[in-house]
Amino acid sequence: MDGAGAAASSAVNQIDVFWHEGMLKHDAGNGVFDSGMDPGFLEVLEKHPENSDRVRNMVSILKRGPISPHISWNLGRPALIPELLSFHTPEYVKELVEADKEGGKVLCSGTFLNLGSWDAALLAAGTTLSAMKHLLDGHGKVAYALVRPPGHHAQPSQADGYCFLNNAGLAVQLALDSGCKKVAVIDIDVHYGNGTAEGFYRSDKVLTISLHMNHGSWGPSHPHSGSVDELGEGEGYGYNLNIPLPNGTGDNGYIYAFNELVVPSIEKFGPDMIVLVAGQDSSAFDPNGRQCLTVEGYKEIGRIVHLLATRHSDGRLLIVQEGGYHVTYSAYCLHATLEGVLDLPMPLLSDPIAYYPEDETFPVKVIEAIKNYQKDKVPLWRNS
């Protein structure tokens, strides 16, 4: 993805951020990591990893960090119930509404709908829809929905993995309903974007690509394995591309996966809208992942994805916030991703944690094996 001409034509000077502080009111509680459990013998319990502190720092770094002159702030809004039905089933939405009325509910392991959670989830969904509409209406080229609770694990009829409503999935459906012919989703959260994949599993209008830790299924709420053979069904066969990466893949391994798998797939698909599902839990220091990305890796991913948007979707790129649970480093990784999207000539922030050793030898072998599998099984790749 090199070339001075392409880089010059892809320049963007502003990112439109959509945010509402009401999303801070979701509180998943304290316990042993994300369990909500107090075993009775620990002096100090920790906040649930999906807590408001992580997002407060993301807001803060964009408002007060060196990237701030490039950020334009837009107020988010709550989604309306009918809007949710474009992706979610009426029965599931009714379950969430009733759980909120009853004061809360444990929807699945680690996923707590508490007082204030439903309002925050509606704000996350509506704010993401507003960000997508901003692009569809021609008011900007790059929009970032800075939202929580996250959404990419939420399936049409099931909560999962801290997620209630699938923010990115709702935005993708809005794009399709508004005239987009093809939408590509690139998910770099450390976990498989199973909810988004399930929502479009039978569609050839949406290409879902997920680069994730090879974690497999984690229970009834997440039966999907994220393996390479989950390719879609019916008309959607070959339009769900999973890239399960070994622990410790690192910056070089991720960029290799982008250049060898993601970029060619996007080039063959030719989307007219691109959605980057951005989780910083793939970082080297995240408590919820082991993928070892650093600031430099996120910056290069941002650059590549925006260049793809310039080539295929008239520069239109929606970024949707997902995971990222290291309270301070996640903010740096977000800043770096947006620096990459802006393709700034000099870095604005240095990595505060510095060098992390990596060896891409094994990840490269895995990526080559995935590429060979896709060439054999995926119609998009068969003639390459």
Side-chain angles (χ1 to χ4, degrees):
M1 295 296 293
D2 295 320
S9 64
S10 72
V12 59
N13 294 317
Q14 176 177 294
I15 296 173
D16 298 311
V17 177
F18 286 74
W19 160 251
H20 194 293
E21 66 179 10
M23 289 181 279
L24 297 173
K25 293 181 180 179
H26 169 51
D27 185 351
N30 298 341
V32 177
F33 197 56
D34 64 2
S35 68
M37 177 186 70
D38 180 353
F41 47 73
L42 294 178
E43 180 76 15
V44 179
L45 298 177
E46 59 190 313
K47 291 182 179 180
H48 189 286
E50 206 294 279
N51 62 71
S52 63
D53 291 347
R54 52 186 283 273
V55 175
R56 289 179 191 275
N57 272 341
M58 292 176 188
V59 172
S60 178
I61 203 169
L62 298 186
K63 286 188 173 180
R64 297 158 55 190
I67 203 170
S68 61
H70 299 278
I71 302 298
S72 173
W73 291 91
N74 300 265
L75 185 64
R77 63 160 180 95
L80 302 174
I81 295 297
E83 292 179 304
L84 305 180
L85 302 180
S86 68
F87 186 90
H88 294 288
T89 65
E91 296 79 11
Y92 175 58
V93 173
K94 182 180 178 182
E95 176 190 356
L96 295 176
V97 170
E98 290 181 350
D100 177 59
K101 288 179 179 177
E102 294 168 4
K105 183 178 181 179
V106 181
L107 294 168
C108 59
S109 177
T111 306
F112 305 94
L113 194 149
N114 294 328
L115 185 65
S117 299
W118 180 234
D119 288 343
L122 288 173
L123 279 169
T127 297
T128 307
L129 288 169
S130 291
M132 175 60 86
K133 192 171 190 307
H134 184 79
L135 299 181
L136 293 168
D137 290 347
H139 297 314
K141 291 295 187 181
V142 180
Y144 168 45
L146 177 45
V147 295
R148 72 177 288 264
H152 73 147
H153 295 310
Q155 298 138 55
S157 60
Q158 171 70 53
D160 179 36
Y162 316 162
C163 302
F164 307 110
L165 299 171
N166 196 308
N167 308 313
L170 288 162
V172 169
Q173 190 59 55
L174 176 62
L176 294 173
D177 293 342
S178 300
C180 289
K181 303 299 183 185
K182 296 180 179 180
V183 181
V185 179
I186 304 170
D187 190 328
I188 61 169
D189 187 279
V190 80
H191 304 110
Y192 176 32
N194 60 308
T196 315
E198 182 176 318
F200 302 103
Y201 209 60
R202 295 164 185 82
S203 173
D204 60 358
K205 306 279 192 300
V206 180
L207 176 66
T208 49
I209 304 175
S210 179
L211 302 93
H212 49 263
M213 181 170 63
N214 191 13
H215 52 68
S217 170
W218 59 54
S221 70
H222 190 108
H224 325 82
S225 69
S227 60
V228 294
D229 57 356
E230 291 181 348
L231 288 166
E233 293 178 352
E235 293 182 350
Y237 181 81
Y239 293 91
N240 186 68
L241 303 181
N242 290 332
I243 306 174
L245 296 170
N247 289 352
T249 290
D251 294 342
N252 292 338
Y254 263 77
I255 300 311
Y256 189 80
F258 261 84
N259 288 330
E260 295 297 314
L261 297 173
V262 178
V263 170
S265 296
I266 297 293
E267 299 281 2
K268 295 171 193 300
F269 182 63
D272 48 7
M273 179 66 75
I274 295 179
V275 177
L276 174 63
V277 177
Q280 296 80 32
D281 45 4
S282 299
S283 85
F285 306 101
D286 198 274
N288 227 334
R290 303 290 181 270
Q291 293 308 81
C292 298
L293 275 173
T294 72
V295 159
E296 286 305 312
Y298 281 103
K299 188 182 302 179
E300 182 62 11
I301 287 171
R303 189 190 72 83
I304 292 173
V305 172
H306 183 251
L307 191 50
L308 285 170
T310 301
R311 290 181 175 180
H312 296 285
S313 57
D314 192 31
R316 297 186 302 180
L317 171 64
L318 174 65
I319 306 167
V320 182
Q321 181 60 44
E322 292 290 345
Y325 306 106
H326 191 293
V327 170
T328 54
Y329 196 62
S330 292
Y332 276 83
C333 294
L334 166 63
H335 195 284
T337 304
L338 299 188
E339 283 187 60
V341 168
L342 292 165
D343 197 21
L344 300 175
M346 297 292 291
L348 297 178
L349 279 179
S350 59
D351 193 323
I353 310 185
Y355 176 71
Y356 193 95
E358 62 177 272
D359 181 356
E360 68 268 28
T361 305
F362 180 58
V364 164
K365 290 180 179 178
V366 171
I367 292 161
E368 286 298 319
I370 295 172
K371 182 165 68 172
N372 290 333
Y373 180 87
Q374 290 185 350
K375 283 183 175 180
D376 181 54
K377 299 291 185 182
V378 177
L380 277 173
W381 278 82
R382 280 184 184 153
N383 297 323
S384 61

